[in-house]
Amino acid sequence: MLQIGSLQVSFEQRSIEKDGVSVRIGARAFDILEVLYRANGAILSKDDIMDAVWPGQIVVENRLQVHIAALRTLLGVDRDLIKTVPGRGYLLIAKGAKASEAPVTPSTPSTPDIPAQGEAPAYIATATAPELPALPLLVEPPIGRAVEIGQLLERLERSPATTVVGAGGIGKTALALHVANEWHSRSGRAICFVELARATSDDAVLALVADALKLPADDGRRHADALYDALAGSGCLLVLDNAEHVIDVVARLVEALLVRNSSVRVLVTSREALHIRAESVLRLEPLAVPEPGLATQAMLAYPAVELFLCRARSLAVACAADEKSIALAADICRRLDGLPLAIELAAARVATLGIEGVASRLDDQLDLLTGGLRSALPRHQTLRATFEWSYALLDAPSRILFRRLGCFTGPFTFDAVCAVATEPGMSITVVVSSLGELTSKSLLNVEFHGSIATYRLTGSTRAYAMEKQRDEGEVNVIASRHMRYMRKRVEENRLVIAEGGQDGTDVSARLSLDDARTAYDWAFSENGDPAQGVALAGALVGTLLDASLVHECFERSRRALDRLDTLPAGSVDVVCEMRLCAACASTLVYVGENVETALSLWQRVLRLAQAARDDAFTTRALWGLWNTTLSVADIHASIRYATRIQQAAEHGDSRSKRLLAGAMLAISLHCFGEHEQARERLEYAVAALGETGLENASCGTPGMEPLIFCYGTLARIAWLQGKPAHAMQLVEASLDPARRDTLEPTLSHLLATVAVPVALQCGDLQAATRYLALLRSQVATHRFAVWEDYAQCLSVQIDLHRGVDQASALERLEPALQRLVARGFRRVIAPFIVLSAEALAHAGRFAEAAGRLDDAIKRSESHSEYYFLPELLRAKGWVALQHARALGRAAHGERTEREAQARRDLNAAMALASEHGAVTWKLRAALDLAAHYIDGDEPAQAVALLAPFDALVDLGSPAPDIQRLVQLRQRPGTAGAPGVRTRSLQPSIPDADPEQGLTQSLRPKMSTGAR
């Protein structure tokens, strides 16, 4: 074996021993050592070394420097055997010769590579690096710290003592080293770097300073006063690194220096400030992290992401090359709160686990984030060690408080600290002192909102606090306190605001929603308190509804209700039970559950409210029942509930409630076919609500913003009454407030049932497509299962309007429609039933088409949405006409019978549409019947049938039904008939098929409204 310093090395067996004990080193570092050894004392450039160790690879210089630093650390006292020759490269002093024998020109000072975190550069005077060269090492600036570097250099110019304060692992040492280099480069003054990590006493601190000044052990200048004088007279920049555990000693030392020489410059890094008169403090914050949802290029601009990718790619060059990986990297940085050490440790794991593996394991940060550089200080090699260093510096009360604060997920107030983390006998003085201790040692973040302070632990710090809490066996006790406190605060404030809050909100109410979630989860855990959890859920669901967290509201309310049913009677109060039932009933339809379940839940609320004589919840239950019966298309029931709401409102003193009750009754009347009466009532309600400023009045049910509902229903009525232009104006009027300040699921409801179908039927295909895209975006964001299926049906409707193949359209339509029906959701799905029936007819499946329409007609005649009945009858007549045409002349008797039945259905549709005042339904039926007359060589009857519509509709409208009317009136035998206006530009009409007859070219498209 070869002897290199204190190491015994075998290049053949690739082994290294030190003092007879085998030691391990990375494969690349071993290769570098062999390359340097075989150079026989010659200087090798960095390129030569990298070409030998990483042949054919592109390698950043920092990787070589990291391995060189690891080799020097392994050599220990013989670290100077590896020399850096400025501008030329590296050399290994031959065969273990002493450093003094190195063949380096005396006038050319050696400049080592970039140090590992926590390691001083060799040119700096330290206890283990005696040389003090004239030229500084050009250390690259720490990523994301350009502003802080400038601030520190400025402060060194004007302030004698500057302290960089920050949490462990935030990069204080790296920043100080770079600034010291920059200071040396600018001023030419020497640097005296003192690493204080191993100092445990006053004498130890003084000894380390003396060693850095190269004072011999027996030198009389090593005692305090002489040492201060030597430092004061040296004119150097004194860098005291990691001073928090000897902070009092360092404070006295710096003050003594400044008394002797005010031109002295001292730079200190510590987890707390010195608190001396001449001190300037720079608090180092975590690296900036991107918000969720940013574009990839925007994410890459954030320093936390840049650091992560830089470190990860130095170990795994090809990692994080795609957008998904970069988004995961950004999420990792966000969850690590931008802490540089945690980010570097996480990046080091990418080479083993991949980015997805690291992201999926971050819940166990303290065990995952290990494996720092061997050359780093021990407390920088794992995240847990970093926190243990700080925890050990706390006094007993501060340790107790710190670990108990781990229960808080988000920001919290002083009241929260007293309620959860303290003991009854603990004085306020001790609490305040301990909070100050935690803040000063960078374990606790504090923010001020006016005169109110809020506190927060970073995610990594909280993980360590919870680990200590588990070690002490306090988890269940503190979790129970936390849950009771959260329930009390949520009940008092009604609103839990996520971190950051809203402008104008009382800061004391800005509790983190995550804290309430944490309390809830513990309550329903194995060691939790389910009764308290149910009570907390009852207080929490209102906030979740306000925040449009529909899925979460449903899941938490349903779980609480399931547990409530297993608890003894009286475990929670009746208000809590009503809140849970109402929240579950309000949200289950959107997440894809059966709508019928909501009816039973609202009935339960109504029974409880009436028994408790709770008028507010009685009204809320009636609102819920009214809305749910609309969803299941039970219009008769909805009218009954709307009437009860109106009767209750008439006995109250709230004008707004009376107006809202009237509007809800009007909506039910519209669904029953009473369009004109509904229009008058709704227009009155809209005007009155606008005057009283109740644009955002709410019924307490998600998706039920009354003013928006009113505008949406008026838009549908306007279209039915043959006024498409006015209908589109009302669509915009309904969307304006929804887009501005209405939360989901109101917007999705409005887009699905009003905006998309009305725009399509009014001939604005571009608007319909735009609205559908927005609907799908909202559905994807909020995971609304019912609106996802609804959007699929609307998509088929639009595609058919564009001429997409009908067979493929039916294949896409059927599953979505079946899911809607299976869930019991029948609100405004009659158009999709007509669509599917017409697609079946085009496929020659006439019996299936007729059967589907018959079922829908029976439901509509009994209690479903009655105002669709004219359209269902029209579709049935149209299907019969298609069936008759398909029979051909051979089946004359059956064909005649089906044509007669078709005429009866179409006439019935027109008669019922006239009764409802639904001009559009009547026009559609008339168009189908007129086309049949023309096909039977009866154009006069067609003209007579269509003539009355001249006074009812605007023939210049782009609405498909009106365009079809104009086209039909211009066919041979009908053109020029009295009452028909001429247009300068008419839509092109396809030539008639001589075998199919005139009607074939005028056959209506699927029920997209394009008739």
Side-chain angles (χ1 to χ4, degrees):
M1 298 186 76
L2 304 172
Q3 187 75 29
I4 302 178
S6 58
L7 303 179
Q8 295 83 45
V9 183
S10 171
F11 291 118
E12 291 75 16
Q13 299 179 7
R14 294 184 68 81
S15 65
I16 300 179
E17 293 182 0
K18 187 172 186 177
D19 299 327
V21 178
S22 178
V23 294
R24 298 182 63 183
I25 191 172
R28 298 299 190 190
F30 191 94
D31 292 342
I32 292 169
L33 180 62
E34 182 175 5
V35 169
L36 289 172
Y37 178 84
R38 298 194 186 285
N40 291 318
I43 299 173
L44 295 179
S45 70
K46 294 177 181 179
D47 289 340
D48 291 338
I49 297 173
M50 288 190 286
D51 288 343
V53 177
W54 290 279
Q57 297 183 39
I58 299 175
V59 182
V60 295
E61 187 175 309
N62 184 53
R63 293 185 68 180
L64 172 61
Q65 295 163 344
V66 166
H67 292 307
I68 291 288
L71 287 171
R72 285 177 171 150
T73 300
L74 186 64
L75 286 165
V77 295
D78 297 317
R79 61 184 291 122
D80 290 341
L81 290 177
I82 298 177
K83 286 291 184 180
T84 303
V85 182
R88 300 180 64 187
Y90 297 96
L91 64 88
L92 177 68
I93 295 175
K95 307 298 183 287
K98 298 300 181 182
S100 59
E101 301 170 9
V104 179
T105 305
S107 61
T108 307
S110 62
T111 307
D113 58 301
I114 296 176
Q117 186 169 6
E119 180 187 14
Y123 83 91
I124 295 176
T126 66
T128 57
E131 296 179 1
L132 187 63
L135 296 177
L137 174 66
L138 297 178
V139 182
E140 292 186 4
I143 291 173
R145 297 303 190 190
V147 173
E148 290 85 349
I149 290 170
Q151 291 175 340
L152 274 182
L153 290 169
E154 181 184 353
R155 294 187 187 200
L156 287 176
E157 291 289 344
R158 56 183 174 80
S159 178
T162 302
T163 304
V164 180
V165 175
I170 207 164
K172 301 182 294 295
T173 299
L175 178 63
L177 287 173
H178 178 80
V179 168
N181 275 276
E182 188 68 22
W183 171 263
H184 175 83
S185 177
R186 293 184 181 187
S187 67
R189 294 167 67 172
I191 308 296
C192 181
F193 185 93
V194 183
E195 167 55 65
L196 298 173
R198 295 177 178 81
T200 57
S201 63
D202 294 22
D203 291 341
V205 171
L206 295 178
L208 286 172
V209 174
D211 288 343
L213 290 174
K214 304 303 159 207
L215 299 179
D218 56 353
D219 195 318
R221 292 174 295 171
R222 293 179 73 96
H223 67 81
D225 287 340
L227 189 60
Y228 296 158
D229 290 338
L231 279 171
S234 69
C236 68
L237 169 64
L238 175 63
V239 181
L240 301 172
D241 190 38
N242 298 300
E244 56 272 356
H245 60 300
V246 285
I247 196 70
D248 292 336
V249 182
V250 171
R252 291 196 298 272
L253 184 156
V254 174
E255 282 192 311
L257 283 178
L258 299 183
V259 168
R260 287 166 168 78
N261 186 350
S262 60
S263 65
V264 168
R265 291 293 180 267
V266 182
L267 179 60
V268 181
T269 72
S270 173
R271 300 187 190 185
E272 63 177 302
L274 301 179
H275 298 296
I276 61 176
R277 186 180 302 277
E279 179 186 31
S280 172
V281 177
L282 175 68
R283 181 165 292 278
L284 198 58
E285 300 295 339
L287 296 176
V289 297
E291 294 293 329
L294 292 182
T296 300
Q297 288 303 315
M299 291 180 189
L300 292 173
Y302 280 81
V305 177
E306 182 184 355
L307 175 63
F308 180 91
L309 295 178
C310 178
R311 296 295 180 262
R313 288 168 178 169
S314 71
L315 300 173
V317 177
C319 77
D322 59 293
E323 292 187 359
K324 180 182 177 182
S325 296
I326 292 170
L328 280 173
D331 182 59
I332 290 170
C333 295
R334 195 161 43 245
R335 293 169 65 186
L336 295 176
D337 298 289
L339 185 68
L341 174 62
I343 290 172
E344 293 201 20
L345 292 174
R349 289 298 186 193
V350 169
T352 304
L353 301 174
I355 288 185
E356 287 193 19
V358 172
S360 66
R361 291 169 174 81
L362 270 191
D363 288 339
D364 192 16
Q365 293 183 18
L366 298 180
D367 288 327
L368 175 69
L369 302 184
T370 62
L373 297 175
R374 293 188 182 93
S375 57
L377 293 170
R379 66 175 183 277
H380 286 160
Q381 292 183 4
T382 72
L383 193 60
R384 180 182 285 106
T386 297
F387 290 118
E388 285 175 348
W389 172 269
S390 294
Y391 188 72
L393 301 179
L394 300 175
D395 57 29
S398 298
R399 290 184 185 183
I400 293 173
L401 202 66
F402 170 72
R403 64 176 179 258
R404 292 178 177 180
L405 293 180
C407 68
F408 291 106
T409 307
F412 52 91
T413 62
F414 183 78
D415 289 344
V417 175
C418 294
V420 177
T422 64
E423 293 299 327
M426 188 178 289
S427 70
I428 295 298
T429 302
V430 172
V431 177
V432 172
S433 175
S434 295
L435 287 175
E437 179 82 355
L438 297 176
T439 303
S440 66
K441 286 186 167 52
S442 304
L443 287 171
L444 183 65
N445 297 330
V446 59
E447 294 181 359
F448 291 93
H449 306 271
S451 59
I452 298 176
T454 58
Y455 306 92
R456 188 177 69 85
L457 299 175
T458 66
S460 302
T461 309
R462 179 177 179 269
Y464 181 75
M466 286 302 299
E467 182 175 277
K468 304 306 292 185
Q469 194 181 122
R470 285 190 292 271
D471 291 345
E472 295 295 327
E474 296 178 331
V475 171
N476 289 330
V477 173
I478 301 303
S480 180
R481 291 185 193 173
H482 179 244
M483 187 198 59
R484 289 195 297 270
Y485 174 76
M486 289 305 303
R487 175 191 170 190
K488 178 175 180 289
R489 291 306 301 269
V490 173
E491 287 177 340
E492 288 176 353
N493 295 286
R494 177 61 177 87
L495 183 65
V496 178
I497 301 173
E499 184 177 338
Q502 297 175 353
D503 292 341
T505 305
D506 183 1
V507 175
S508 64
R510 292 183 184 176
L511 303 175
S512 169
L513 184 55
D514 286 340
D515 269 313
R517 290 166 173 152
T518 299
Y520 175 100
D521 291 340
W522 176 83
F524 290 103
S525 67
E526 183 179 355
N527 298 313
D529 186 338
Q532 288 289 334
V534 171
L536 173 62
L540 179 61
V541 289
T543 292
L544 298 176
L545 286 177
D546 290 343
S548 294
L549 297 171
V550 175
H551 267 269
E552 183 177 356
C553 182
F554 170 71
E555 290 164 359
R556 295 192 186 277
S557 60
R558 182 175 64 175
R559 183 179 184 185
L561 281 173
D562 290 344
R563 198 57 185 268
L564 173 61
D565 292 338
T566 68
L567 297 175
S571 296
V572 297
D573 60 61
V574 67
V575 172
C576 175
E577 184 175 353
M578 289 190 293
R579 286 175 178 169
L580 290 171
C581 289
C584 190
S586 298
T587 54
L588 64 83
V589 61
Y590 301 108
V591 302
E593 297 291 314
N594 194 292
V595 186
E596 299 288 342
T597 308
L599 288 174
S600 61
L601 287 169
W602 283 121
Q603 290 287 3
R604 181 175 173 180
V605 176
L606 184 59
R607 289 194 302 271
L608 292 170
Q610 290 174 335
R613 298 183 183 277
D614 189 323
D615 292 339
F617 256 110
T618 297
T619 301
R620 185 176 179 187
L622 291 172
W623 281 112
L625 286 164
W626 171 82
N627 189 41
T628 306
T629 51
L630 283 179
S631 293
V632 299
D634 189 345
I635 305 307
H636 294 295
S638 78
I639 291 175
R640 290 197 301 271
Y641 288 123
T643 302
R644 291 176 65 178
I645 294 169
Q646 189 175 48
Q647 290 171 348
E650 291 299 330
H651 292 92
D653 57 358
S654 172
R655 182 168 183 255
S656 63
K657 289 183 178 179
R658 291 195 296 273
L659 291 170
L660 295 178
M664 298 307 103
L665 179 57
I667 291 172
S668 291
L669 290 172
H670 155 64
C671 293
F672 194 64
E674 297 288 345
H675 305 308
E676 185 59 23
Q677 184 183 169
R679 182 189 63 78
E680 293 174 355
R681 288 172 177 260
L682 287 170
E683 287 180 347
Y684 172 76
V686 166
L689 287 172
E691 290 174 0
T692 54
L694 295 177
E695 289 86 352
N696 296 316
S698 175
C699 308
T701 303
M704 269 302 304
E705 296 298 330
L707 192 60
I708 295 171
F709 244 40
C710 291
Y711 276 123
T713 306
L714 283 170
R716 197 158 50 222
I717 292 173
W719 171 73
L720 284 171
Q721 293 183 332
K723 303 171 184 176
H726 184 49
M728 287 304 296
Q729 292 173 356
L730 289 166
V731 167
E732 289 298 322
S734 66
L735 283 171
D736 280 345
R739 288 170 175 165
R740 185 171 58 252
D741 50 26
T742 301
L743 295 174
E744 283 289 7
T746 296
L747 179 57
S748 291
H749 191 140
L750 181 63
L751 290 167
T753 62
V754 177
V756 178
V758 171
L760 182 61
Q761 292 159 356
C762 290
D764 195 339
L765 181 60
Q766 185 177 10
T769 304
R770 186 171 65 249
Y771 294 148
L772 178 61
L774 178 57
L775 172 62
R776 284 186 150 169
S777 173
Q778 293 299 99
V779 164
T781 300
H782 299 281
R783 297 180 296 135
F784 292 151
V786 66
W787 297 133
E788 181 180 9
D789 290 331
Y790 210 94
Q792 176 70 2
C793 294
L794 290 169
S795 174
V796 172
Q797 208 170 15
I798 290 177
D799 287 346
L800 284 170
H801 185 86
R802 289 171 168 156
V804 170
D805 177 66
Q806 295 161 357
S808 63
L810 181 62
E811 186 178 339
R812 291 166 50 210
L813 175 66
E814 289 284 79
L817 180 57
Q818 289 173 7
R819 285 193 295 269
L820 289 172
V821 173
R823 295 189 187 107
F825 187 85
R826 294 183 176 275
R827 177 174 284 179
V828 202
I829 67 167
F832 305 143
I833 294 174
V834 171
L835 200 68
S836 65
E838 291 180 337
L840 289 168
H842 276 292
R845 296 158 64 180
F846 300 111
E848 289 180 64
R852 184 162 298 181
L853 290 169
D854 283 339
D855 289 342
I857 288 169
K858 288 177 183 177
R859 285 190 58 86
S860 185
E861 288 176 336
S862 59
H863 63 274
S864 189
E865 290 179 304
Y866 192 62
Y867 83 98
F868 277 115
L869 186 53
E871 171 67 353
L872 293 168
L873 290 169
R874 180 214 59 80
K876 183 183 177 184
W878 181 84
V879 168
L881 287 176
Q882 306 316 302
H883 194 178
R885 183 177 293 109
L887 290 171
R889 301 183 184 278
H892 178 72
E894 184 180 355
R895 176 175 178 170
T896 301
E897 182 181 344
R898 292 194 180 279
E899 288 179 344
Q901 181 60 52
R903 287 193 293 270
R904 287 194 294 271
D905 289 334
L906 291 171
N907 279 303
M910 287 190 291
L912 187 57
S914 293
E915 181 183 329
H916 291 176
V919 174
T920 298
W921 290 154
K922 184 177 180 180
L923 174 59
R924 284 189 173 183
L927 289 169
D928 286 348
L929 188 55
H932 172 64
Y933 285 143
I934 295 171
D935 193 39
D937 295 327
E938 299 178 274
Q941 290 193 6
V943 171
L945 185 64
L946 298 179
F949 291 99
D950 291 355
L952 298 176
V953 298
D954 174 13
L955 295 180
S957 169
D961 295 308
I962 298 176
Q963 285 189 349
R964 185 174 174 230
L965 170 63
V966 173
Q967 292 172 357
L968 197 58
R969 293 291 296 272
Q970 291 185 338
R971 298 307 297 174
T974 63
V980 177
R981 307 173 197 169
T982 58
R983 304 176 70 200
S984 58
L985 291 174
Q986 298 295 347
S988 60
I989 306 297
D991 294 333
D993 186 334
E995 295 184 3
Q996 294 290 338
L998 180 62
T999 310
Q1000 180 68 17
S1001 65
L1002 299 171
R1003 180 179 299 165
K1005 297 181 182 178
M1006 309 298 288
S1007 280
T1008 62
R1011 297 195 169 279

